[in-house]
Amino acid sequence: MSAAGTQAWLRAALARRPAARLELAGHERAAILVPLLDGPDGPSLLFTVRSPYLTRHAGQVAFPGGRVDVGEDDVDAALREAREEVGLEVPPQAVCGRLDEHASPFGLVAAPVVACVPWPAPLHLQAGEVSEAFVVPLGTLRAVRPSVEVRYTPFGPRRLYGYDVGGRRIWGLTGNVVRDLLSRLSAAEAAA
């Protein structure tokens, strides 16, 4: 499939259902970029491993992301964070849609922004935030039956999905974002 074809496929799959938005009192906004890589090995996702020196989520697998700064929207913040954390330059026209927003236990509401990114691309990891980056093909993630863990929060029970891939654990908010993306892609393919 051509790069334009992959981007059109992704846009159509994400447009089938609007992303659920969350407005929670006392929560700040954050944005994450879900980079769908369009490369020779087929569609894949780029993940990061958070620096072991961070005070929150040290060593965990994540997507590039962080707080939305004053004057930014979710897309601006997601693209900026990807540039700052891993040196990934993603033009705004590469954004294909959004996934459901998620509350974090640290007072943030994270808005996942999905972009179709040509691959391979040069990466420059910001060592204070990211210790490494790695790629997982969508086919590999689809073949994994995710684990489910229920956590009780002030907002009620929350299911956390986990994917064990290549000796790594993709879980929590990141696992939930992966599950949302895979579910939307599968629904779009079933309807085609």
Side-chain angles (χ1 to χ4, degrees):
M1 185 181 301
S2 70
T6 300
Q7 195 167 23
W9 163 73
L10 186 56
R11 284 182 197 277
L14 297 176
R16 293 180 52 80
R17 179 177 66 78
R21 295 195 44 98
L22 290 177
E23 298 293 335
L24 299 175
H27 281 62
E28 293 183 57
R29 292 206 55 84
I32 58 176
L33 185 71
V34 180
L36 185 78
L37 309 178
D38 187 21
D41 297 328
S44 302
L45 291 176
L46 175 70
F47 294 95
T48 66
V49 177
R50 292 175 51 86
S51 168
Y53 307 110
L54 294 172
T55 56
R56 292 185 182 162
H57 308 298
Q60 290 185 5
V61 173
F63 290 113
R67 293 183 198 279
V68 176
D69 289 341
V70 174
E72 285 184 318
D73 63 18
D74 298 337
V75 171
D76 294 334
L79 299 181
R80 175 184 52 76
E81 288 287 342
R83 187 173 51 256
E84 290 174 359
E85 290 184 10
V86 296
L88 190 62
E89 293 290 341
V90 181
Q93 63 269 25
V95 172
C96 295
R98 296 167 171 257
L99 298 170
D100 292 342
E101 294 183 356
H102 299 270
S104 87
F106 298 103
L108 297 171
V109 170
V113 175
V114 183
C116 191
V117 180
W119 192 254
L123 298 179
H124 306 284
L125 306 185
Q126 205 287 330
E129 293 189 51
V130 176
S131 62
E132 65 178 293
F134 65 98
V135 174
V136 180
L138 283 185
T140 300
L141 287 165
R142 285 178 158 175
V144 173
R145 182 180 175 108
S147 63
V148 182
E149 180 181 330
V150 177
R151 294 271 177 104
Y152 293 92
T153 72
F155 309 105
R158 179 176 177 214
R159 289 177 188 218
L160 300 177
Y161 293 87
Y163 295 80
D164 292 307
V165 177
R168 301 179 191 275
R169 179 125 175 95
I170 302 166
W171 74 282
L173 188 144
T174 305
N176 285 13
V177 170
V178 168
R179 181 177 185 273
D180 186 14
L181 176 64
L182 295 179
S183 295
R184 288 169 184 263
L185 296 177
S186 293
E189 290 164 358

